[in-house]
């Protein structure tokens, strides 16, 4: 494996637990960032499916449930989360602990790139958070950033991975892809011929047909 392509949401950043905790705590749920990040990954796991089947409403419901919101307050809390997402389009912007250092270490071993289903702003987000950027700078260097809104194609369509491979100039069998879902990431990377890695920090996925990572640093 000579290069690694990375998803962004759920791999480098997660929904900001400070904002999420404000909603959950207001309805009797968790406010601790560690508890909310765990709840996020559990909700992702339960909403995840194969071949592009990801239940987004189910994810938001699961996040409320696993954040410990009492049954009687869940409907109002879920509505509060919907309103938060509308009011805060950059909600998915909280870097996971130690991520900047991990990316710099990975850049010393692999050629790196980004492939993300996003809204056209992912390159700016990553640079502003000091995680990675195209070319030289203080953040980890990446050679390509493919944002679905700009590319006109989204995961799990294998063509979005091909766009990154074209820039790297590498065959797919020499490139890994790290994502946090089977629906978008494992199935899409596999269809494109890449080696898929499922980032699953809490070991919720027990599927034996693909590789798992507990931490992105495991690639080192």
């Amino acid at each position: 494996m000579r290069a690694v392509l990375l998803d962004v949401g759920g791999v480098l950043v997660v929904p900001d637990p400070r904002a999420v905790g404000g909603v959950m705590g207001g309805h009797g749920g968790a406010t601790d960032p560690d508890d909310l990040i765990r709840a996020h990954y559990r909700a992702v796991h339960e909403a995840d499916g194969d071949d592009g089947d990801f239940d987004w409403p189910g994810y938001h419901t699961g996040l409320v449930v696993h954040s410990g919101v009492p049954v009687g307050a869940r409907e109002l809390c879920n509505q509060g989360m919907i309103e938060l997402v509308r009011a805060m389009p950059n909600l998915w912007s909280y870097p996971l602990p130690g991520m900047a250092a991990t990316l710099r270490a990975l850049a010393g071993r692999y050629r790196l790139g980004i492939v993300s289903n996003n809204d056209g702003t992912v390159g700016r987000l990553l640079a502003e958070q000091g995680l990675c950027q195209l070319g030289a700078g203080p953040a980890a260097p990446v050679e390509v950033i493919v944002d679905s809104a700009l590319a006109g194609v989204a995961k799990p369509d294998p063509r979005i991975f091909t766009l990154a491979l074209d820039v790297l100039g590498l065959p797919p069998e020499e490139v890994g892809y790290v994502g946090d879902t089977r629906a978008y990431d494992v199935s899409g990377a596999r269809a494109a011929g890449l080696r898929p890695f499922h980032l699953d920090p809490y070991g919720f996925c027990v599927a034996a047909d693909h590789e798992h990572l507990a931490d992105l640093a495991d690639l080192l």
Side-chain angles (χ1 to χ4, degrees):
M1 199 164 65
R2 297 174 60 190
V4 176
L5 298 173
L6 303 164
D7 188 13
V8 176
V11 174
L12 308 185
V13 300
V14 292
D16 192 329
R18 298 164 296 188
V20 174
V23 176
M24 300 301 176
H27 294 86
T31 59
D32 181 80
D34 291 340
D35 293 339
L36 291 167
I37 290 173
R38 180 183 177 89
H40 159 77
Y41 281 106
R42 187 169 179 184
V44 166
H45 168 68
E46 293 179 354
D48 199 7
D50 293 315
D51 300 325
D53 180 20
F54 190 90
D55 180 7
W56 279 106
Y59 161 75
H60 288 111
T61 298
L63 183 59
V64 170
V65 170
H66 298 305
S67 295
V69 175
V71 173
R74 288 175 183 171
E75 184 175 348
L76 279 176
C77 186
N78 202 10
Q79 184 59 41
M81 280 302 302
I82 292 172
E83 293 171 1
L84 176 65
V85 170
R86 289 174 180 164
M88 193 174 174
N90 63 338
L91 179 64
W92 288 62
S93 61
Y94 185 84
L96 287 163
M99 186 53 64
T102 296
L103 288 170
R104 286 193 295 270
L106 284 172
R109 179 163 181 176
Y110 302 105
R111 297 171 64 187
L112 297 181
I114 300 292
V115 175
S116 173
N117 284 359
N118 220 288
D119 63 358
T121 65
V122 73
R124 184 172 75 245
L125 167 69
L126 294 170
E128 288 175 350
Q129 294 292 351
L131 295 175
C132 57
Q133 61 190 54
L134 292 170
V142 295
E143 296 184 34
V144 58
I145 297 178
V146 182
D147 184 316
S148 62
L150 302 178
V153 62
K155 299 178 297 181
D157 191 318
R159 291 177 296 171
I160 194 170
F161 300 96
T162 301
L163 293 173
L165 292 174
D166 288 346
V167 174
L168 294 174
L170 293 175
E173 61 269 18
E174 294 182 6
V175 182
Y177 184 74
V178 182
D180 66 321
T181 68
R182 291 179 293 126
Y184 298 130
D185 303 313
V186 173
S187 62
R190 180 181 286 148
L194 281 69
R195 179 179 176 180
F197 294 93
H198 184 180
L199 184 71
D200 181 24
Y202 299 94
F204 293 128
C205 180
V206 296
D209 65 341
H210 60 273
E211 296 177 83
H212 297 81
L213 298 173
D215 190 289
L216 188 58
D218 291 348
L219 286 175
L220 297 170

